[in-house]
């Protein structure tokens, strides 16, 4: 995720740093857009490519969703580890002729063969897999469906701090009302992710699919006001 002050955060909600451990900062223009080169790689104030901890240039492959696919197409998990397929091969995304990562209509990443990428659990890989927090602190999956507590089966909620923001720990994990990290049914901590955004008037889920109402119509907002 790229902020207006140039700060860059990965999918684990941590600030991205270079190989020397220094936080990366992009140059953002008056139009709110980051400065990039012809390969869609972020640039610093000197016009040089910003490079991550692996020494590779940081590309805005997923746009608003922030870096997750490396410059060579390598796909990383939210914790920065390499994502692999069922045969333990490193997953690599494909790029279009203009340097953008190949993404399907439902937000699934595509490989160099333009087929959807499949991970070790034989599931498709989407541009964003982290949960987001809705009104009242309710926690939702990236596809818009709610999380439920594993024991009581009641809707999962997050602790809201004094700034009216979801409470997280130093690792970006969402904290529940009991002060402990929220976990999914597999016991994995839920890392705070990006919520829905508005694109051309449509409300889009983190996986790149429009959010629909009870009548299955796409929810839209007035962007002219």
């Amino acid at each position: 995720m790229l902020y207006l002050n140039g700060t860059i955060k990965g999918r684990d909600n941590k600030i991205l740093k270079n190989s020397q451990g220094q936080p990366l900062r992009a140059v953002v223009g008056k139009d709110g857009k980051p400065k990039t080169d012809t390969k869609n790689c972020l640039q610093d104030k000197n016009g040089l490519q910003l490079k991550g901890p692996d020494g590779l240039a940081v590309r805005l492959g997923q746009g608003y969703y922030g870096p997750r696919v490396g410059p060579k197409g390598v796909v990383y998990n939210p914790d920065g580890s390499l994502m692999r397929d069922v045969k333990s091969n490193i997953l690599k995304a494909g790029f279009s002729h203009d340097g953008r990562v190949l993404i399907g209509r439902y937000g699934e990443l595509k490989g160099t063969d333009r087929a959807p990428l499949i991970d070790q659990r034989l599931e498709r890989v989407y541009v964003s897999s982290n949960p987001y927090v809705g009104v009242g602190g309710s926690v939702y999956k990236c596809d818009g469906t709610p999380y439920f507590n594993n024991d009581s089966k009641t809707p999962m909620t997050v602790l809201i701090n004094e700034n009216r923001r979801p409470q997280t720990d130093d690792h970006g994990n969402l904290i529940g009302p009991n002060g402990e990290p929220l976990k999914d049914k597999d016991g994995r901590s839920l890392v705070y992710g990006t919520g829905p955004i508005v694109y051309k008037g449509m409300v889009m889920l983190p996986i790149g699919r429009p959010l629909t109402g009870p009548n299955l119509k796409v929810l839209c907002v007035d962007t002219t006001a």
Side-chain angles (χ1 to χ4, degrees), residues 5-33:
N5 64 359
T7 300
I8 309 169
K9 287 188 177 182
R11 290 309 308 166
D12 57 0
N13 205 38
K14 293 182 180 180
I15 294 177
L16 288 183
K17 300 180 180 180
N18 59 22
S19 57
Q20 285 76 44
Q22 301 169 328
L24 296 179
R25 187 175 293 273
V27 176
V28 180
K30 294 182 179 179
D31 57 359
K33 296 182 180 180

Side-chain angles (χ1 to χ4, degrees), residues 19 71 75 84 98 104 110 117 120 122 159 179 185 203:
S19 57
V75 184
R84 301 175 184 271
D98 61 356
K110 292 186 175 183
L117 293 178
Q120 288 181 314
L122 298 179
L159 179 67
K185 63 180 181 179
V203 181

Side-chain angles (χ1 to χ4, degrees), residues 2 5 12 19 42 60 74 76 83 90 109 129 131 166 175 192 199 205 217:
L2 177 64
N5 64 359
D12 57 0
S19 57
L42 289 172
L60 282 183
V74 176
Y76 296 89
M83 187 170 285
I90 297 174
L109 287 173
S129 60
I175 302 299
Y192 188 26
Y199 176 72
L205 289 165
K217 289 186 177 180

Side-chain angles (χ1 to χ4, degrees), residues 36-219:
T36 59
D37 59 17
T38 56
K39 296 182 179 180
N40 209 28
C41 295
L42 289 172
Q43 293 181 311
D44 62 16
K45 60 182 181 180
N46 298 316
L48 301 176
Q49 290 182 346
L50 290 177
K51 296 186 177 181
D54 53 5
L56 299 176
V58 178
R59 183 196 300 266
L60 282 183
Q62 263 69 256
Y64 181 89
Y65 303 109
R68 184 169 181 177
V69 176
K72 296 184 179 180
V74 176
V75 184
Y76 296 89
N77 283 301
D79 62 0
S81 61
L82 294 170
M83 187 170 285
R84 301 175 184 271
D85 62 18
V86 70
K87 296 181 179 179
S88 294
N89 296 316
I90 297 174
L91 292 182
K92 288 189 176 182
F95 294 93
S96 61
H97 61 85
D98 61 356
R100 296 179 180 273
V101 175
L102 294 178
I103 301 174
R105 62 178 298 183
Y106 297 113
E108 68 274 17
L109 287 173
K110 292 186 175 183
T112 54
D113 58 357
R114 294 184 175 273
L117 293 178
I118 306 297
D119 64 16
Q120 288 181 314
R121 296 181 294 178
L122 298 179
E123 296 179 351
R124 292 190 177 190
V125 179
Y126 292 92
V127 293
S128 177
S129 60
N130 290 351
Y132 65 91
V133 178
V135 177
S138 297
V139 183
Y140 295 89
K141 299 177 182 179
C142 58
D143 63 1
T145 58
Y147 270 100
F148 291 92
N149 291 303
N150 300 319
D151 50 358
S152 62
K153 304 303 179 183
T154 55
M156 187 178 290
T157 58
V158 68
L159 179 67
I160 302 298
N161 61 27
E162 62 275 10
N163 297 319
R164 298 184 179 181
R165 299 290 299 169
Q167 183 66 45
T168 61
D169 60 18
D170 293 338
H171 301 288
N173 299 317
L174 289 170
I175 302 299
N178 63 353
E180 298 293 329
L182 295 175
K183 298 182 181 296
D184 61 17
K185 63 180 181 179
D186 297 319
R188 294 174 299 190
S189 296
L190 299 181
V191 179
Y192 188 26
T194 304
I197 63 170
V198 176
Y199 176 72
K200 294 184 177 180
M202 295 186 297
V203 181
M204 302 292 292
L205 289 165
I207 61 173
R209 188 179 68 203
L211 179 63
T212 57
N215 55 5
L216 299 183
K217 289 186 177 180
V218 175
L219 297 181

